[in-house]
Amino acid sequence: LLVALDAMEGSCVEYDLFDSLTFKPQITTFSDSLKNTDFCAVSSSTIDASCFDMQEHTSLLWDFEYPKYSSSIEQSTGFYLLARESDNMHQVLKNSLAHFNQGSPLDKTKCSEILQEISKRGMPTLKKLTGGGTSSLGEIGMLVALRMLQTEGQTNANFDGIISSKEGAHTNLVIPVDIFQPRFDSLRDSLGVETFVRPDLIIISFYMKDSRIQSMRLTPVEVKARSSAMSTHDRKQALNQAQAFAKFLETMQVRSKQSALWGIAWREMLTSWLDYGFRVYGEYDNNKKAGSNWLKLHQDVMVSILSPNIEVEIDKIGRLISVEKNSPTQVLKSSGQSFKDTVVLSGESAVSLLNENQEKEIGKIRAAIDNWGFLSADNIPDKVVVTPSNQSEKSSVSEELDTDDSH
């Protein structure tokens, strides 16, 4: 085996046949294993969640832990737990969603689509979603928020969310934060950061020109789900999680310009997010159809981000998406600034985002917040990018959206 690998790797340079040698699990082995058992686990630092998107949809990514790095952590390879789709799993999903979806039970086909969507996205995790209690409610809120933000991970969705993954020369990736928590904690501990709170999501938007990143914007997003209305104070506290994380990113960015070692750590953190996003998004149908174009973009971004000259804009305000069963759908200013940083989704809106009314619901929200200031700057003069500074001037933004809610 070692001789064979040496010969293959040597061919990289000698014959210029390929760039690198990577490992991929034998999907058929997992599929065969799941025919005889409900779960199958794999542990490896050379694979990621995208490796388990099977064409025949016989398995689901039930739970996973991303590889860690730290001298204090003994086990660093991570794990991936696959589960066989079953009728019992459908019933558990229905029970979990019943909190918001009591009047509109999901049929088997819709349940299967949602399960596959969650498995493909890698968030929220199916294990937590079907676990019941407050954890399950929080994961439902995450699913609703993701369906508002982007639709590419869904089956047969021919419309966009608030931001699509590709908008002209912009690429927009929604990255889960929790899987990188051990890495963040290790970095924050080294920086002496006092608070270790984190948001649920990071929105990465970058603008490409001539195969290089021209601009990049990072926006922390906190997601909450409640069975009752949140108070103004609670919403502000929730938004503070995103703002505290933005301060950590700013601190690390400043340190990266003062120290070569911290510069490496900063760029490695960015590349880990981007690489994860590209691999997961690469399994979406539209990017599969793009073929080599998506792979070329992935390669160009990885090369470009390693340059110390890339200036990254960090959104200091953050965003809050709050799913509140007994509140009207509305956009608010939770931080006390002029920018409307909070979207409150009613129980009815949450249900709409989970069924056939999703496109209509997204349209209402987009009419109020446009792209919500997520996009990085670009060089197209005739295209307006809504940012916190100019969104507050839009007369079309209303405090409460025109929905069919009854209160």
Side-chain angles (χ1 to χ4, degrees):
L1 179 61
L2 290 175
V3 172
L5 289 174
D6 183 62
M8 293 175 67
E9 291 174 341
S11 299
C12 280
V13 178
E14 185 175 356
Y15 301 107
D16 194 26
L17 297 177
F18 47 88
D19 294 327
S20 61
L21 178 67
T22 60
F23 296 88
K24 186 174 183 179
Q26 294 183 349
I27 300 300
T28 53
T29 302
F30 297 138
S31 182
D32 291 342
S33 298
L34 286 168
K35 292 178 181 178
N36 303 313
T37 184
D38 291 332
F39 294 94
C40 178
V42 58
S43 179
S44 175
S45 60
T46 61
I47 59 177
D48 55 55
S50 66
C51 295
F52 306 110
D53 180 33
M54 303 182 188
Q55 293 296 324
E56 63 274 19
H57 301 306
T58 57
S59 68
L60 301 167
L61 183 60
W62 186 254
D63 192 20
F64 70 101
E65 184 176 281
Y66 208 57
K68 310 179 182 74
Y69 62 78
S70 173
S71 59
S72 61
I73 299 174
E74 295 180 2
Q75 176 58 262
S76 62
T77 57
F79 71 86
Y80 300 88
L81 183 62
L82 305 181
R84 180 178 57 183
E85 187 173 342
S86 64
D87 291 338
N88 182 57
M89 197 178 293
H90 287 190
Q91 188 58 51
V92 172
L93 176 64
K94 290 178 182 179
N95 293 341
S96 299
L97 297 178
H99 187 83
F100 289 112
N101 206 33
Q102 293 177 348
S104 305
L106 302 176
D107 58 29
K108 185 173 182 179
T109 299
K110 191 64 177 179
C111 276
S112 183
E113 288 179 357
I114 291 178
L115 288 170
Q116 291 295 336
E117 173 192 344
I118 295 171
S119 178
K120 186 179 294 185
R121 290 183 189 267
M123 56 178 172
T125 58
L126 287 172
K127 178 183 177 182
K128 292 181 180 178
L129 178 64
T130 58
T134 56
S135 176
S136 178
L137 181 60
E139 297 299 294
I140 293 171
M142 175 72 79
L143 176 61
V144 170
L146 290 170
R147 281 184 152 235
M148 182 193 87
L149 292 170
Q150 287 187 338
T151 61
E152 283 91 340
Q154 299 175 216
T155 303
N156 301 322
N158 56 1
F159 52 90
D160 293 328
I162 299 302
I163 51 167
S164 63
S165 61
K166 285 292 294 180
E167 295 192 17
H170 281 98
T171 301
N172 309 301
L173 307 176
V174 181
I175 308 297
V177 172
D178 278 358
I179 61 174
F180 297 98
Q181 178 201 346
R183 301 186 178 194
F184 296 147
D185 290 350
S186 178
L187 292 168
R188 287 190 281 199
D189 185 55
S190 298
L191 286 170
V193 176
E194 294 182 359
T195 176
F196 279 32
V197 297
R198 62 189 184 279
D200 292 289
L201 304 169
I202 288 285
I203 309 295
I204 304 179
S205 175
F206 56 88
Y207 176 76
M208 296 290 290
K209 183 178 181 181
D210 299 328
S211 299
R212 292 190 61 81
I213 296 176
Q214 303 298 315
S215 65
M216 178 177 288
R217 183 178 179 85
L218 307 178
T219 307
V221 179
E222 175 65 12
V223 179
K224 294 294 184 185
R226 295 288 186 271
S227 57
S228 59
M230 288 183 71
S231 66
T232 301
H233 173 75
D234 287 343
R235 290 183 185 134
K236 185 175 181 180
Q237 289 296 108
L239 187 62
N240 281 343
Q241 291 183 231
Q243 294 173 346
F245 193 79
K247 290 180 180 178
F248 153 64
L249 294 179
E250 279 190 298
T251 301
M252 192 168 177
Q253 184 181 39
V254 170
R255 189 68 64 88
S256 72
K257 298 176 181 179
Q258 301 171 343
S259 163
L261 186 60
W262 275 105
I264 293 173
W266 168 249
R267 291 189 292 276
E268 194 281 334
M269 184 175 68
L270 295 178
T271 56
S272 66
W273 293 346
L274 290 164
D275 188 53
Y276 173 87
F278 268 103
R279 291 178 183 277
V280 172
Y281 278 65
E283 297 303 317
Y284 295 169
D285 291 339
N286 59 329
N287 293 324
K288 281 184 176 179
K289 293 177 182 178
S292 60
N293 291 333
W294 183 254
L295 296 176
K296 177 65 164 54
L297 178 61
H298 187 177
Q299 180 181 355
D300 290 342
V301 168
M302 290 296 102
V303 172
S304 184
I305 199 65
L306 293 177
S307 169
N309 300 321
I310 298 295
E311 190 63 33
V312 179
E313 181 184 5
I314 300 169
D315 189 298
K316 302 176 185 178
I317 298 175
R319 306 289 185 275
L320 171 62
I321 300 173
S322 182
V323 183
E324 303 174 18
K325 186 176 181 181
N326 298 323
S327 293
T329 296
Q330 55 191 320
V331 290
L332 302 169
K333 308 169 187 175
S334 295
S335 62
Q337 303 185 43
S338 60
F339 178 68
K340 297 180 185 295
D341 47 46
T342 300
V343 169
V344 177
L345 297 173
S346 67
E348 289 82 356
S349 290
V351 172
S352 295
L353 288 167
L354 292 172
N355 62 29
E356 63 274 5
N357 295 322
Q358 181 186 8
E359 182 177 9
K360 181 179 179 181
E361 193 67 33
I362 290 174
K364 294 176 183 177
I365 299 169
R366 188 190 292 113
I369 63 175
D370 199 31
N371 59 49
W372 214 8
F374 284 135
L375 297 188
S376 64
D378 62 27
N379 298 320
I380 304 176
D382 60 347
K383 180 177 179 179
V384 176
V385 177
V386 178
T387 63
S389 61
N390 62 27
Q391 184 183 341
S392 60
E393 300 171 1
K394 293 180 63 181
S395 59
S396 62
V397 175
S398 60
E399 289 295 328
E400 185 169 330
L401 304 187
D402 180 16
T403 67
D404 298 326
D405 303 347
S406 299
H407 300 280

